[in-house]
């Protein structure tokens, strides 16, 4: 498969993504920020986005959305209500609040990590993501432990 890549500034990124999605194409970009760590890592991992509609969204999906303040976020849906959806970054110990469905731009269908593809719809990864969501009340301590382990490994 021939993959076309286009490198753009962060100012252009989301308009290019929207243009690709509007033409029924998938979009991909390398993630910045640590709010989705440990499942998506800053500067290392990329995501593949696909367009989606409100009816296809489920708890556990990772979505790209634009907040009413204009900033873009890539977080996991933790709750769906008739008014909108709630999200949480996998690396965060707080909820983002409820956003209207009109904020949704795309859904993450795959994560690319070190050249390997993680299919977000595979049963294995759905179970892993579900367990991570259930562990939210103790996430603070799990993340602290994972960061300590990560630092120790990278010091060697």
């Amino acid at each position: 498969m021939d993959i076309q890549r286009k490198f753009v500034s962060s100012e252009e990124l989301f308009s290019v993504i929207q243009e690709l999605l509007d033409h029924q194409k998938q979009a991909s970009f390398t993630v910045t920020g640590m709010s989705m760590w440990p499942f998506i890592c800053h500067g290392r991992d990329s995501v593949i986005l696909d367009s989606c509609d409100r009816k296809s969204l489920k708890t556990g999906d990772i979505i790209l959305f634009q907040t009413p303040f204009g900033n873009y976020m890539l977080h996991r849906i933790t709750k769906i209500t008739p008014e909108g959806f709630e999200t949480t970054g996998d690396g965060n110990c707080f909820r983002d609040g409820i956003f209207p469905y009109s904020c949704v731009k795309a859904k993450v269908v795959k994560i690319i990590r070190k050249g390997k593809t993680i299919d977000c719809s595979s049963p294995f990864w759905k179970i892993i993501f579900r367990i991570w969501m259930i562990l939210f009340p103790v996430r603070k301590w799990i993340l602290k432990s994972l960061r300590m382990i990560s630092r120790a490994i990278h010091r060697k």
Side-chain angles (χ1 to χ4, degrees):
M1 177 168 70
D2 185 27
I3 297 176
Q4 294 180 356
R5 293 179 189 254
K6 182 176 181 181
F7 294 94
V8 296
S9 69
S10 58
E11 292 83 29
E12 297 175 281
L13 176 64
F14 296 109
S15 62
V16 170
I17 288 171
Q18 191 62 57
E19 182 182 331
L20 288 167
L21 295 171
D22 288 346
H23 287 93
Q24 303 343 246
K25 295 183 179 183
Q26 292 183 328
S28 177
F29 69 96
T30 301
V31 175
T32 59
M34 292 298 287
S35 67
M36 288 299 289
W37 187 84
F39 294 106
I40 302 174
C41 187
H42 167 82
R44 179 191 72 190
D45 300 336
S46 298
V47 293
I48 297 176
L49 303 168
D50 211 342
S51 58
C52 63
D53 61 19
R54 175 183 183 231
K55 293 175 186 171
S56 72
L57 296 176
K58 297 181 210 68
T59 300
D61 287 343
I62 302 170
I63 57 169
L64 174 68
F65 65 102
Q66 186 176 19
T67 71
F69 302 109
N71 56 318
Y72 286 84
M73 296 174 68
L74 188 77
H75 281 178
R76 189 177 304 282
I77 296 176
T78 50
K79 184 178 183 181
I80 293 182
T81 71
E83 298 80 36
F85 59 92
E86 175 186 68
T87 61
T88 304
D90 287 343
N92 293 344
C93 298
F94 57 87
R95 306 282 189 208
D96 298 323
I98 301 287
F99 297 96
Y101 290 104
S102 59
C103 292
V104 177
K105 300 298 179 186
K107 181 167 120 174
V108 174
V109 292
K110 294 180 182 171
I111 301 166
I112 310 297
R113 175 178 297 146
K114 297 180 181 177
K116 296 188 181 190
T117 302
I118 296 170
D119 182 349
C120 295
S121 66
S122 77
F124 173 80
W125 283 104
K126 283 187 170 200
I127 290 169
I128 297 297
F129 296 153
R130 177 65 62 193
I131 291 169
W132 187 247
M133 289 171 48
I134 290 168
L135 291 172
F136 182 78
V138 295
R139 186 180 288 183
K140 176 181 178 180
W141 295 282
I142 296 170
L143 287 169
K144 187 175 182 178
S145 298
L146 289 173
R147 285 185 190 110
M148 288 172 46
I149 292 166
S150 178
R151 284 186 198 120
I153 290 170
H154 289 98
R155 277 190 206 132
K156 294 181 178 184

